[in-house]
Every structure is written in structure tokens, then in C-alpha cells.
Amino acid sequence: MGRVRLGVNIDHVATLREARKGSYPDPIRAAKICERSGADGIVCHLREDRRHIQERDIRFLLEKIQLPLNLEMSMNEDIVRIAKRLKVPKVTLVPEQRRELTTEGGLDVFSHREKVKRLVHAFEEKRIRVSLFIDPNGKQLEASWRTGVKTVEFHTGRYANAKSLSIAQRELGLIRRYCGEAKAIGLEVAAGHGLHYQNVRAVARIREIEELNIGHAIVSYAIFVGFAEAVREMKRLLS
Ligand code: PXP
């Protein structure tokens, strides 16, 4: 058993399916392989534009997969309604812009603190656990803590996409610092975005991190080595 839990984001299996609007590759099949290959959870993002995961995928994941599902979602009312109706076990609130290729930064919890707080309470009343996807900085961390949320996920994109070693090290330092602060104020700590087989170990070594959520790199590597091996290898790097 690895120390850090691995949540596998299967969005891009659905991206490939939606390229032809057909029925394969099937993200549910990918999730089943994750179950057999050491993943600790399944993650997917129901985007407002439905560019990859569809509502029916979430229904099938809930019916057919034993691993816990973590649904990434914006604060859009329709999506909130769907998450509550489907009674997903966990949601991660993320910012969302239509034209972005991927989630470009953390949620601005500070600016939307009242709305985030209301949502955190509304979900928890329905026994849906909530995590907030934030940049590693003190203002967002404190604002998150004030909403009453129990988990934060730090956005590792600036570390992962750093153009130089010194920038990567500075960004890693920020992630390390705010993981420590989050844990010290009683929050559970996760991280993710842009992590791959070459850059993940430095993040996995951060003591306070309990879970890493990784998608694009695993799906990409799976094209060459198969989904099971891609998941197993990532899991090995986390242990
Ligand atoms: N965590 C969150 C909250 C995300 O929004 C994403 C991207 O959907 C990931 C993790 C995974 O990012 P990547 O696909 O770059 O591994």
C-alpha cells in the first residue's frame, strides 16, 4: 500500500470518445481497470459544455464502480443540482471557463466566500463531502478554512508547467509551505494538476499530502503501455 492515495481522473478517456461522439473508449471500462490496478479513487469533471464526461457516465460510475468517486465541478447551479440529485460521495469545486483547455488556476474562494460557504454547507447537509481546489497561497487557504470545508486540493499546475528549475523549486516550496499550513489548521490535503511520471515524486514526498489526483499523464501513457500498467506505475511512484 502506498502512503499517498491515487485518484485517477478519467476525463480524457471520454475526450477520445467524444472526438467521434461514439461509445468507445468507455470511461467506465477504464475505471474498472483502475480498480484492479491499485487506484484509490476515480475522479471526473462534469463540465458545463460536456466536452468529455456526460451525466450518464457519472450514473454508471456510481452503479458499477466500487472505488469512491470524486466529481470535479464548477459552482454552476445546474451542475450543483445534478451532483445533489446523483448523490455523488464527494465533490471538488473548481473554477471553470468555457474557452480554457483545462482548469487553469485554483478557485477564487476569497472573492466568492459567501457562495462557497453556502455550497459547502448545502453539500454536507446531503452527506456529500467537499474539497476546494485552490492555489497554494495564504489568502485562499484561510478563506477556504473559513467556509468550514474539511479538505483542500492544491493546484500544482504552476510547479508542473514551470519553464525553469528555479521556478519549479519556488513553486514546490509554496506547495510544501501551504500543505503544512493546511494540515496545521486541521484540513485534509490533496494536490493535483499537470503531474506526470517525471515530476510527481517531489510532490508525493510532501508529508501532509494524502491524495494526488492525476489524469492527463496517465491516460496519455496508457496509449503506449495500457491502462493497467499506466495506473500501476503511477501508484508505484507514490509509494
Ligand atoms: N485535480 C483537479 C481539481 C483538476 O481539475 C484536474 C484536471 O481536471 C486534475 C486534478 C488532474 O489534472 P491532470 O489531468 O493535469 O492530471
Side-chain angles (χ1 to χ4, degrees), residues 23 26 32 35-36 38 40 46 51 53 55 61 63 70 73 109 116 125 148 150-151 170 181 184 193-194 214 220:
S23 60
D26 179 10
K32 282 192 179 146
E35 281 190 321
R36 298 197 295 268
D40 302 285
L46 184 68
R51 67 174 75 158
I53 292 292
E55 195 179 324
L61 287 168
E63 271 169 33
N70 176 0
M73 52 177 278
V109 180
V116 177
E125 253 172 27
K150 298 191 178 64
T151 306
R170 188 190 67 207
E181 293 196 6
H193 207 280
I214 305 175
S220 303

Side-chain angles (χ1 to χ4, degrees), residues 9 11 45 72 92 94 102-103 133 153 192-194 213-216:
N9 182 314
D11 289 349
H45 185 168
E72 295 172 3
T92 297
V94 303
T102 179
T103 315
F133 189 44
E153 176 174 340
H193 207 280
N213 295 312
I214 305 175
H216 187 262

Side-chain angles (χ1 to χ4, degrees), residues 40-199:
D40 302 285
I42 301 296
V43 186
C44 66
H45 185 168
L46 184 68
R47 280 188 169 266
E48 291 162 31
D49 64 10
R50 304 295 196 276
R51 67 174 75 158
H52 38 54
I53 292 292
Q54 310 294 314
E55 195 179 324
R56 68 172 189 283
D57 293 323
I58 298 170
R59 269 191 273 112
F60 286 137
L61 287 168
L62 291 169
E63 271 169 33
K64 297 183 177 179
I65 302 298
Q66 305 299 317
L67 287 177
L69 178 69
N70 176 0
L71 179 68
E72 295 172 3
M73 52 177 278
S74 71
M75 297 196 288
N76 171 287
E77 274 176 29
D78 292 336
I79 305 279
V80 169
R81 216 172 293 121
I82 292 169
K84 285 184 182 164
R85 177 158 44 77
L86 294 176
K87 280 196 178 305
V88 291
K90 181 175 177 182
V91 296
T92 297
L93 299 182
V94 303
E96 190 174 309
Q97 291 162 33
R98 292 252 161 173
R99 287 226 280 264
E100 68 189 356
L101 290 178
T102 179
T103 315
E104 280 168 1
L107 185 67
D108 184 357
V109 180
F110 182 81
S111 303
H112 301 101
R113 52 196 180 275
E114 289 311 319
K115 183 170 183 186
V116 177
K117 189 172 174 176
R118 272 199 309 278
L119 269 180
V120 168
H121 287 271
F123 277 125
E124 287 187 346
E125 253 172 27
K126 292 208 168 284
R127 299 193 183 285
I128 295 174
R129 290 185 299 135
V130 188
S131 176
L132 301 178
F133 189 44
I134 57 170
D135 286 325
N137 76 57
K139 184 170 152 184
Q140 296 300 338
L141 177 59
E142 184 183 343
S144 299
W145 179 73
R146 288 188 184 282
T147 67
V149 82
K150 298 191 178 64
T151 306
V152 288
E153 176 174 340
F154 286 112
H155 195 302
T156 51
R158 279 217 287 265
Y159 156 72
N161 299 322
K163 294 278 180 274
S164 72
L165 192 60
S166 66
I167 297 175
Q169 277 169 346
R170 188 190 67 207
E171 292 300 329
L172 187 63
L174 288 174
I175 296 167
R176 206 179 278 125
R177 172 177 169 188
Y178 289 106
C179 284
E181 293 196 6
K183 187 78 179 176
I185 55 177
L187 296 173
E188 184 179 324
V189 183
H193 207 280
L195 297 176
H196 55 64
Y197 296 83
Q198 281 75 44
N199 67 11

